[in-house]
Amino acid sequence: RRRHTRFRNVTGVQTCALPISVTLDAGQSGAWQALGRAHQALNEMNEAITAYRHAIDCDSRRAGAHLALGTLLLDLNQTGAVESLGQAAALDPRSAPSAERHARALAQAGRFTEALAEHERARRLAPGDGAYVLSQAETLADAGQHGLADELCRQMIGSPEIRPEDKALAYRRLAGRALAQGDASAACRDLDRAVALAPARDDIRMRRAMLLLSLGQFEPGWKEFRSRFSRTLAGAGAIHAQPFPQPEWAGEDLREKTILVWGEQGIGDDIVAASMLPDLAGRAGKVLVHTDARLEPLFARSFPANVRFFARVLPVQPELLSDRIACQIALGGLGEFLRPSWASFGAPRAYLRADPAKIDSFRERYAALPGLKVGISWRSRNLVNGRVKSTTLGEWLPILRLPGVTFVNLQYGDCAEELARAQDAAGCRICHDPDVDQLRDMDGFAAQVTSLDLVISVSNAIAHTAGALGIPTWVLLATDPLWLWFRDRDDSPWYPRARLFRQVSAGDWSEPVSQVAASLQGWSLPGP
């Protein structure tokens, strides 16, 4: 079989595209597995899953292929992880990684007794390795045994056998627990201790950066936020700097100069940071923005004339490599210079504009829908924190049962079965528009959102899109949300018509759902 793909360099930086033809013999399980790793490195997850399954078809006793497939399914929260990782653990019973990941998959499936037994086996296979203790603590917490989880972390910190770096990770986990309980001061202390034990761990520094930013401590927070580009960050949380040749902008005068700004993270992150582009456009002669291709038409319509947008494709457009560009900076790095304080935010305003013709088309299509038209999205697919941010649609029943509302599905991904169950349970109608693909056509999706009366969502790209468009947007937040939602406030400095509904207890969505239902009931009355 002949495959054509594109590879980045070993750092993951998008510097060039190399068309490579790989000829694979049907019996070469290892080659299929290598191809799966390459697809995974390029964030081509469906292709990676297919390649790993071919590797298993070629050699069903290849433990590494089962482990790779199962780990990816686990990270994506897809079915089949328990089976694949159980097979990996059975084929290689002396492998601590296989036992630990099998334990995590069992925990994700709610099979906590079996999961904890596998965690114990992993720890016996790798005594003194703090990573396996921490993983067990996470499962104990997922099972609701928070006290035991915290005690495991404290035992790690006091044990002379545990490396300082692993003790630092234990402090980081205790900080997360403190934040879930609403104790930001204790979290700051634990993260300070973690950084002192492992100053080279930029993932811990990033955690502290996000906490500082969430507390409005912008000056130290933005400086620590620079650690996101460290090579020591790995896995789903890795962020890669783009190697543009111009010097990095350090806040100097940009009048009559050209600055290049490049997107660095997901669509939601780039939409939030794009709120700073009008400010930058007022300071600079020209602003060139290298962004996700899906955002290019929406962004191009929305910002001042001296801001030009370029799709993030390979190879990079030659114009962006010119020495006539005075400087460059990551989109997320603008905050250090443009949002150094609360006062610098100013009054929030809508800054994205959907296509008027497409808006009219959606409004015409939805005109017959009765009552309020409310878009809903209930989960995030973020590999780092999507599970914490996500709900099930079944938890929305107090909202879905309200009369006088037609709900419109804005959730990306395959959710047909969940929609059917929720409609049966709530006795409501949830309109699904098959012509809208939120993952591919952001311009069309923005028009759909603009045609609605209200959007209710968890923290994901849909919430950011609706907020930036100026649509009334109600966001359900976990006890420890992303930093950009900040803390102890029910509005947003980024979005003019956003309302925030926060969990009271970690993992319990009943309170914010109840608050949203009560607020929506008011909207449902005549003359809201």
Side-chain angles (χ1 to χ4, degrees):
R1 181 175 297 200
R2 202 162 181 80
R3 286 287 179 108
H4 299 271
T5 190
R6 301 212 267 191
F7 289 87
R8 290 175 281 195
N9 65 24
V10 293
T11 65
V13 174
Q14 300 179 21
T15 55
C16 61
L18 299 176
I20 296 177
S21 296
V22 181
T23 303
L24 299 177
D25 182 270
Q28 291 181 335
S29 178
W32 279 113
Q33 190 174 339
L35 184 61
R37 288 194 298 268
H39 280 303
Q40 195 168 343
L42 291 171
N43 202 35
E44 297 169 354
M45 301 306 182
N46 290 334
E47 292 85 350
I49 289 170
T50 299
Y52 290 142
R53 284 180 171 150
H54 279 306
I56 293 168
D57 289 341
C58 292
D59 182 0
S60 62
R61 297 194 61 78
R62 191 177 186 88
H66 287 286
L67 180 61
L69 174 61
T71 300
L72 182 54
L73 293 174
L74 177 66
D75 289 342
L76 295 173
N77 197 21
Q78 292 188 14
T79 57
V82 171
E83 292 74 13
S84 293
L85 291 168
Q87 189 69 11
L91 289 168
D92 190 359
R94 303 300 301 168
S95 167
S98 294
E100 185 271 338
R101 291 174 204 176
H102 186 213
R104 285 199 284 129
L106 288 164
Q108 192 176 84
R111 296 161 59 177
F112 293 113
T113 301
E114 297 167 81
L116 290 169
E118 276 290 81
H119 278 301
E120 290 291 347
R121 190 168 74 86
R123 289 180 61 184
R124 288 195 301 270
L125 290 168
D129 191 326
Y132 297 108
V133 185
L134 283 169
S135 183
Q136 184 175 8
E138 292 292 343
T139 292
L140 285 167
D142 289 343
Q145 300 182 49
H146 296 287
L148 289 176
D150 294 349
E151 183 57 30
L152 268 184
C153 290
R154 295 188 183 98
Q155 289 175 10
M156 283 181 61
I157 291 167
S159 171
E161 298 179 357
I162 300 296
R163 298 180 308 157
E165 185 171 318
D166 287 338
K167 293 183 180 183
L169 295 174
Y171 272 123
R172 184 180 69 177
R173 198 205 165 278
L174 289 173
R177 174 71 174 143
L179 287 172
Q181 295 174 310
D183 192 344
S185 296
C188 286
R189 288 194 297 271
D190 285 334
L191 287 173
D192 287 345
R193 291 166 181 153
V195 170
L197 282 169
R201 287 287 305 230
D202 287 297
D203 54 342
I204 297 176
R205 303 189 81 94
M206 258 297 285
R207 189 68 181 91
R208 184 167 68 171
M210 290 187 286
L211 175 56
L212 291 170
L213 289 170
S214 76
L215 294 170
Q217 298 180 30
F218 294 109
E219 183 176 355
W222 287 125
K223 288 179 180 177
E224 198 81 299
F225 194 57
R226 297 172 184 170
S227 62
R228 69 197 184 281
F229 294 125
S230 167
R231 292 172 185 262
T232 64
L233 290 174
I239 302 171
H240 300 295
Q242 301 293 327
F244 288 103
Q246 302 87 2
E248 185 176 358
W249 185 47
E252 65 270 20
D253 189 355
L254 291 172
R255 283 176 292 184
E256 300 182 5
K257 294 181 181 178
T258 299
I259 181 172
L260 168 63
V261 183
W262 43 273
E264 58 185 90
Q265 301 185 52
I267 280 181
D269 300 279
D270 282 4
I271 288 174
V272 179
S275 65
M276 295 180 278
L277 289 178
D279 292 359
L280 186 64
R283 293 189 181 199
K286 291 182 181 179
V287 179
L288 309 181
V289 183
H290 194 230
T291 189
D292 191 298
R294 294 170 292 178
L295 291 172
E296 184 188 7
L298 178 60
F299 278 6
R301 182 186 308 109
S302 302
F303 292 100
N306 65 331
V307 184
R308 288 182 59 199
F309 292 90
F310 296 80
R312 194 156 62 222
V313 296
L314 297 174
V316 170
Q317 295 88 339
E319 184 176 349
L320 301 182
L321 305 176
S322 170
D323 58 8
R324 290 191 293 272
I325 298 172
C327 52
Q328 52 81 23
I329 191 171
L331 189 53
L334 292 175
E336 184 173 351
F337 308 105
L338 302 180
R339 297 293 181 268
S341 65
W342 287 118
S344 63
F345 281 83
R349 59 186 184 275
Y351 54 90
L352 293 186
R353 292 193 302 113
D355 185 321
K358 292 180 179 179
I359 295 171
D360 289 343
S361 176
F362 277 106
R363 284 178 174 160
E364 184 178 346
R365 287 159 61 183
Y366 294 165
L369 297 178
L372 288 172
K373 301 169 186 60
V374 178
I376 58 172
S377 173
W378 58 94
R379 65 181 182 229
S380 165
R381 68 172 189 172
N382 187 290
L383 296 181
V384 178
N385 49 30
R387 188 162 61 94
V388 174
K389 296 193 295 178
S390 297
T391 66
T392 65
L393 194 52
E395 291 173 297
W396 288 51
L397 292 181
I399 300 171
L400 299 177
R401 288 182 173 133
L402 292 175
V405 181
T406 295
F407 296 97
V408 178
N409 175 36
L410 302 180
Q411 183 60 56
Y412 44 76
D414 183 7
C415 51
E417 290 186 10
E418 196 171 5
L419 285 169
R421 289 195 303 269
Q423 289 179 104
D424 288 343
C428 70
R429 178 184 180 185
I430 303 176
C431 175
H432 176 72
D433 194 330
D435 293 333
V436 180
D437 187 339
Q438 300 94 328
L439 296 179
R440 295 181 184 274
D441 180 14
M442 286 298 296
D443 205 35
F445 176 61
Q448 180 193 30
V449 167
T450 305
S451 73
L452 302 174
D453 298 309
L454 170 70
V455 168
I456 306 173
S457 178
V458 298
S459 170
N460 59 17
I462 289 166
H464 296 303
T465 303
L469 288 164
I471 305 305
T473 306
W474 297 356
V475 188
L476 288 80
L477 297 176
T479 51
D480 182 22
L482 294 182
W483 70 266
L484 51 86
W485 299 114
F486 301 106
R487 296 184 179 275
D488 303 321
R489 61 186 300 164
D490 59 9
D491 65 344
S492 168
W494 310 104
Y495 309 128
R497 304 178 75 184
R499 288 183 62 187
L500 311 182
F501 298 81
R502 299 177 184 270
Q503 284 182 347
V504 175
S505 301
D508 181 2
W509 291 103
S510 60
E511 182 64 23
V513 165
S514 175
Q515 291 177 355
V516 167
S519 298
L520 186 57
Q521 190 170 28
W523 271 54
S524 301
L525 295 173

